[in-house]
């Protein structure tokens, strides 16, 4: 599977993130995220979509207090960390290869007294889904980008959601295939744009499982 599906101009901008760190303030906490482009590629960089989703969550875009939340394709884990700071019980997930880096960022940034709210687990889309049940909220930042994963990602969203689940996907729509994924989702979910950050060209879509649908 292609690890890096972006154009060269996107990639050249990312190479500066080798062995660096970046700092954010959310929910009155300073969050320092390690980035390492060379080691892990796209999973070890904070993408604009993650920052925009964190701002949306902090602004109260969805109630997270006491809710069960899963983050898919978490990368550095910024979104999951912020969700925990905002009161959620969070399962932060990504591919096996991203686990060590993800765990390290989560461990460095979740205060000790909130550690019980966060677990980090491998979840390769479409695989081992029987180990996961429904969540109140599903979060994903910049996870719509690999066409060969679209079917598995859709299957994962269907498996993890009930009719009461809120899905928030933040993304930059770079290619027609990204729009195609949203159309694939519309067969099973109602999908609405709830936010657009013009400065960084990132959309947030909210999805809910359509009622009376056979899966
Ligand atoms: C562009 S990065 C976004 C990372 C992070 N959400 C952010 O916005 O900063 C895409 C993420 O999706 C993950 N990913 C790609 N294919 C995956 C798959 N089949 N199963 C699980 N995660 C996957 C990558 O490992 C990576 O962390």
């Amino acid at each position: 599977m292609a690890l890096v599906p972006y154009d060269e101009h996107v990639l050249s901008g990312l190479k500066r993130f080798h062995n660096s760190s970046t700092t954010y303030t959310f929910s009155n906490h300073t969050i320092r995220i390690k980035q390492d482009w060379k080691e892990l590629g796209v999973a070890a960089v904070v993408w604009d979509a993650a920052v925009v989703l964190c701002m949306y969550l902090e602004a109260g875009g969805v109630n997270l207090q006491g809710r069960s939340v899963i983050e898919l394709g978490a990368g550095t884990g910024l979104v999951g960390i912020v969700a925990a700071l905002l009161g959620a019980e969070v399962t932060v997930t990504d591919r096996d290869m991203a686990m060590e880096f993800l765990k390290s960022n989560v461990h460095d940034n979740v205060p000790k007294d909130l550690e019980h709210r966060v677990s980090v687990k491998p979840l390769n889309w479409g695989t081992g889904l029987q180990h996961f049940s429904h969540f109140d909220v599903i979060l994903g930042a910049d996870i719509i980008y690999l066409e060969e994963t679209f079917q598995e990602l859709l299957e994962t969203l269907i498996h993890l959601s009930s009719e009461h689940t809120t899905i928030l996907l933040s993304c930059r729509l770079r290619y027609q295939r990204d729009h195609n994924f949203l159309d694939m989702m519309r067969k099973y979910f109602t999908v609405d744009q709830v936010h657009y950050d013009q400065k960084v060209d990132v959309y947030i879509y909210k999805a809910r499982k359509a009622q009376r649908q056979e899966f």
Side-chain angles (χ1 to χ4, degrees):
M1 176 188 299
L3 177 65
V4 177
Y6 300 116
D7 292 341
E8 193 49 44
H9 75 275
V10 178
L11 300 179
S12 59
L14 290 171
K15 286 175 183 155
R16 70 182 187 279
F17 295 125
H18 175 54
N19 209 4
S20 65
S21 70
T22 177
T23 303
Y24 304 92
T25 303
F26 286 108
S27 191
N28 296 321
H29 285 76
T30 300
I31 302 169
R32 188 165 173 274
I33 297 286
K34 289 186 295 245
Q35 304 186 108
D36 196 346
W37 166 255
K38 275 196 187 155
E39 193 179 318
L40 264 181
V42 296
V45 172
V46 177
W47 293 79
D48 288 337
V51 181
V52 171
L53 185 53
C54 289
M55 292 193 289
Y56 183 81
L57 296 177
E58 187 176 47
V62 63
N63 176 24
L64 292 176
Q65 200 64 44
R67 315 285 300 281
S68 63
V69 171
I70 186 164
E71 185 187 3
L72 303 177
T76 65
L78 176 65
V79 173
I81 292 164
V82 170
L85 294 174
L86 291 169
E89 308 281 332
V90 189
T91 304
V92 190
T93 71
D94 206 302
R95 294 177 291 178
D96 297 291
M97 61 173 285
M99 279 302 102
E100 200 183 322
F101 198 73
L102 177 56
K103 277 183 182 161
S104 166
N105 269 317
V106 169
H107 177 265
D108 290 351
N109 286 290
V110 174
K112 286 270 169 290
D113 58 328
L114 300 186
E115 267 177 359
H116 63 279
R117 282 195 198 156
V118 186
S119 60
V120 181
K121 292 184 183 166
L123 197 175
N124 300 281
W125 303 329
T127 306
L129 293 177
Q130 70 277 11
H131 301 302
F132 297 87
S133 185
H134 295 162
F135 286 81
D136 296 326
V137 180
I138 302 173
L139 301 173
D142 217 333
I143 59 172
I144 305 172
Y145 71 112
L146 286 173
E147 195 165 27
E148 63 267 37
T149 66
F150 283 179
Q151 196 53 48
E152 287 82 4
L153 178 56
L154 181 60
E155 197 185 309
T156 303
L157 291 171
I158 291 170
H159 177 88
L160 296 173
S161 57
S162 72
E163 287 170 10
H164 306 290
T165 301
T166 300
I167 302 173
L168 288 175
L169 298 176
S170 67
C171 48
R172 183 172 294 154
L173 298 171
R174 300 178 180 86
Y175 307 105
Q176 179 55 43
R177 61 176 187 243
D178 305 340
H179 293 271
N180 295 347
F181 179 76
L182 294 172
D183 286 340
M184 286 168 70
M185 277 189 74
R186 287 190 175 95
K187 292 188 184 136
Y188 302 92
F189 300 92
T190 56
V191 181
D192 297 306
Q193 182 190 319
V194 290
H195 184 70
Y196 177 61
D197 188 321
Q198 194 173 8
K199 217 167 110 201
V200 288
D201 187 26
V202 166
Y203 295 85
I204 298 180
Y205 292 93
K206 183 187 273 192
R208 276 261 174 153
K209 216 170 204 175
Q211 293 193 351
R212 293 191 305 276
Q213 188 80 43
E214 294 294 322
F215 294 104

